[in-house]
Amino acid sequence: MSNDVYTDIWYDVIPLHHRPNLLKECCKLLNSEWPRSETARLKSLRVSCDEFPTCLILIDRESRVLGHCKVSLIPKVRHSCYIESVVVDNKSRAQGLGSRLLRGTEEYVARKGIKRVHLITKGQEIFYIKNGYKICDPIETCGFKKFVPPITKTEAKHKEKITTFSGPPPPPMPQLEFEYFDIRMLSQKTHMVKKL
């Protein structure tokens, strides 16, 4: 356990599944920021395990949950993870606890062999830049692809007949021109990364 001191209080970042008695308190914290049914929230928190995904919590000396962060692996990027649901209790903000939660998360994933931490944010870019993150291009954080079964020759011919007699083609899409275009403009969210 680490012993960082902020205003004479002890804090630590630990996996939530090591302290299942704090599940409800963590659920309450997350729902204060992003409301969701308690049942759904608890179900998503219970997936936390040592191998990932892992929910990490920031606790104080009295074991109060002051922060949360979920960490998942990125299947297509070696030694990389994705953090989400980063939140600090509203009453405990502006005390350096968000930075403490990030640092604890980075230490935890580094011990697991992770070398890059990715995240997506909207409106908190300055906070993450202060903590060493840089803006990057979007990455695919999920490894799931839609399965399309192969089609037979008969099915292909039938599909060809249907498309041949389905009417005129649609008009072309309008051409949009951007003088200064950045792919990040499409999502209105900022993708960030930090090398550990």
Side-chain angles (χ1 to χ4, degrees), residues 21-174:
N21 59 312
L22 298 175
L23 269 166
K24 290 238 182 198
E25 192 176 342
C26 188
C27 176
K28 185 178 174 184
L29 170 64
L30 284 162
N31 281 344
S32 71
E33 190 73 20
W34 305 289
R36 193 172 174 193
S37 79
E38 184 176 290
T39 303
R41 182 69 69 192
L42 287 171
K43 184 177 180 182
S44 71
L45 291 173
R46 286 188 176 114
V47 300
S48 181
C49 64
D50 286 330
E51 297 303 316
F52 298 109
T54 305
C55 293
L56 298 171
I57 54 173
L58 175 70
I59 59 172
D60 65 7
R61 192 180 303 270
E62 289 80 36
S63 294
R64 288 180 297 197
V65 177
L66 301 175
H68 171 272
C69 176
K70 183 176 180 183
V71 183
S72 302
L73 293 179
I74 303 173
K76 294 184 177 184
V77 185
R78 278 179 61 114
H79 307 296
S80 294
C81 71
Y82 172 71
I83 61 173
E84 60 184 314
S85 304
V86 179
V87 64
V88 171
D89 179 64
N90 200 32
K91 297 174 198 158
S92 302
R93 292 181 183 170
Q95 299 176 35
L97 297 181
S99 296
R100 175 64 188 102
L101 175 60
L102 277 181
R103 197 167 49 256
T105 300
E106 293 160 3
E107 291 167 3
Y108 178 86
V109 299
R111 286 192 301 269
K112 300 269 188 184
I114 300 296
K115 301 197 184 323
R116 287 180 191 248
V117 178
H118 291 264
L119 60 89
I120 300 172
T121 188
K122 183 176 181 179
Q124 299 299 320
E125 292 84 359
I126 300 298
F127 166 74
Y128 288 110
I129 288 170
K130 285 180 183 178
N131 282 282
Y133 287 78
K134 295 181 180 179
I135 295 173
C136 67
D137 289 328
I139 61 160
E140 191 175 320
T141 57
C142 300
F144 302 106
K145 286 189 173 181
K146 183 178 175 185
F147 175 72
V148 180
I151 59 174
T152 64
K153 286 183 182 180
T154 308
E155 290 171 323
K157 286 181 182 179
H158 179 69
K159 187 176 180 182
E160 186 177 305
K161 286 180 185 177
I162 292 171
T163 56
T164 306
F165 301 107
S166 62
M173 293 293 292

